[in-house]
């Protein structure tokens, strides 16, 4: 992993491995402190972490309760004989 | 108001009014289960209708294990899975995580994936190119909002296994988004 750094006692690949827990807010205070030290000094991890969080956010907010108009009505007119 | 189980039993006896009520109650959940696993809205509509038509025909097979909603969304996910095509040369599961990170843009252009994800159709089309296993875990956790432990129970794996699967699947999704961004 070219350009990998060690900051906050963590290598970049260590931060990558914990990125899901970081985004989910599941790191312990000690883990969080180490990751934040690393990210504050590592542009690659800062950029990747932001992009990862952005994709997760889009996944989680893109879902809408928006069934296409007319789809349900078309369905309800199609029940075959039981 | 009848509970879902009562409505489904009535539907099993041919009660269309009961079935319509079930559709109204669960259309959003079934749509979310389907739309995030199909490459287009047209395919999603077909799977949506097929799911409820199958539920109508097979209403008598519901044994009361779990909720009616989970029965419907599970059926929807399986039907959506049949619309996928596997990518040739799919990476093996033991690909080191840091290699998945590199492919997702670490050290180069991670913003490409995030930018591509801004477009909903692009995001869902990229998701539809992933393996069924990847789509399922992303669908369960990120689209349907199940917690890691809930997804683990649904899949019959440990919580840590579900967590690792989700993280790796998201990285492969970022790779797919990045490839889309570079291709367009």
């Amino acid at each position: 992993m070219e350009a990998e750094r060690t900051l906050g006692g963590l290598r970049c690949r260590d931060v990558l491995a914990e990125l899901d827990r970081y985004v989910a807010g599941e790191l312990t205070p000690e883990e969080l402190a180490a990751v934040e030290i690393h990210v504050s000094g590592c542009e690659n991890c800062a950029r990747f972490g932001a992009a990862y969080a952005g994709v997760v956010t889009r996944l989680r907010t893109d879902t809408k309760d928006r069934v296409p108009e007319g789809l349900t009505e078309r369905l309800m007119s199609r029940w075959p004989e039981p | 108001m009848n509970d879902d189980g009562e409505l489904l039993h009535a539907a099993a006896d041919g009660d269309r009014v009961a079935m319509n009520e079930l559709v109204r109650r669960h259309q959003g959940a079934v749509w979310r289960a389907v739309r995030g696993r199909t490459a287009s809205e047209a395919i999603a509509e077909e799977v949506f209708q097929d799911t409820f038509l199958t539920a109508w025909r097979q209403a008598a097979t519901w044994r009361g294990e779990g909720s009616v909603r989970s029965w419907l969304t599970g059926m929807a996910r399986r039907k959506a899975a049949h619309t996928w095509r596997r990518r040739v040369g799919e990476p093996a599961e033991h690909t080191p995580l840091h290699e998945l990170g590199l492919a997702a843009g670490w050290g180069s252009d991670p913003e490409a994936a995030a930018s591509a994800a801004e477009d909903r159709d692009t995001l869902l089309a990229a998701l539809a190119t992933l393996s069924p296993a990847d789509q399922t875990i992303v669908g369960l956790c990120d689209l349907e909002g199940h917690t890691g432990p809930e997804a683990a129970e649904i899949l019959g794996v440990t919580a840590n296994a579900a967590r690792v699967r989700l993280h790796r699947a998201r990285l492969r999704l970022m790779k797919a988004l990045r490839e889309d961004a570079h291709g367009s």
Side-chain angles (χ1 to χ4, degrees):
Chain A
M1 204 173 182
E2 213 173 307
E4 184 169 29
R5 306 179 63 183
T6 300
L7 283 166
L10 298 174
R11 298 170 300 172
C12 294
R13 66 186 65 199
D14 299 324
V15 172
L16 179 63
E18 297 302 327
L19 204 47
D20 60 314
R21 293 176 61 225
Y22 178 49
V23 167
E26 293 174 355
L27 297 178
T28 66
E30 295 74 23
E31 291 171 330
L32 180 62
V35 167
E36 291 191 331
I37 288 172
H38 183 104
V39 169
S40 66
C42 176
E43 184 183 350
N44 284 330
C45 285
R47 288 172 60 199
F48 191 81
Y52 182 94
V55 171
V56 172
T57 297
R58 291 304 296 175
L59 282 167
R60 292 185 165 220
T61 57
D62 255 347
T63 301
K64 298 179 182 59
D65 224 335
R66 187 192 57 81
V67 180
E69 191 175 330
L71 177 61
T72 306
E73 287 69 29
R74 290 199 301 277
L75 171 67
M76 291 183 186
S77 68
R78 291 181 57 182
W79 304 125
E81 288 302 317
Chain B
M1 181 183 292
N2 292 341
D3 71 17
D4 286 350
E6 291 175 354
L7 288 172
L8 194 56
H9 285 132
D13 289 334
D15 186 338
R16 289 181 172 81
V17 173
M19 191 64 201
N20 287 345
E21 177 59 24
L22 282 172
V23 171
R24 288 190 194 93
R25 291 183 183 185
H26 303 294
Q27 59 181 321
V30 170
W31 178 253
R32 286 192 297 273
V34 165
R35 185 61 188 96
R37 289 176 177 77
T38 49
S40 73
E41 190 149 303
I43 295 172
E45 290 188 7
E46 288 178 13
V47 176
F48 176 90
Q49 297 206 41
D50 189 30
T51 297
F52 281 112
L53 285 168
T54 300
W56 166 248
R57 288 193 299 270
Q58 298 182 0
T61 67
W62 184 68
R63 296 282 176 257
E65 295 170 357
S67 66
V68 170
R69 175 168 291 193
S70 62
W71 182 67
L72 289 169
T73 56
M75 190 187 307
R77 283 193 295 271
R78 288 190 295 275
K79 288 183 177 292
H82 289 307
T83 69
W84 301 322
R85 287 183 299 164
R86 279 195 180 273
R87 283 152 59 100
V88 173
E90 187 171 348
E93 186 57 75
H94 59 264
T95 303
L97 193 74
H98 68 270
E99 289 187 18
L100 294 181
L102 289 169
W106 188 97
S108 54
D109 59 345
E111 294 82 8
S115 180
E118 291 290 319
D119 181 82
R120 179 167 176 264
D121 287 341
T122 301
L123 175 61
L124 295 179
L127 183 59
T129 67
L130 302 186
S131 71
D134 279 355
Q135 294 199 49
T136 294
I137 191 68
V138 171
L140 284 172
C141 295
D142 291 334
L143 297 184
E144 295 176 32
H146 288 287
T147 64
E150 288 172 352
E153 185 171 348
I154 291 169
L155 297 172
V157 300
T158 65
N160 191 61
R163 181 220 143 198
V164 169
R165 284 191 194 186
L166 176 62
H167 190 29
R168 295 173 70 91
R170 286 169 173 171
L171 292 174
R172 283 191 277 261
L173 174 61
M174 289 180 71
K175 173 176 180 282
L177 286 164
R178 185 168 169 248
E179 289 172 349
D180 183 273
H182 290 160
S184 59

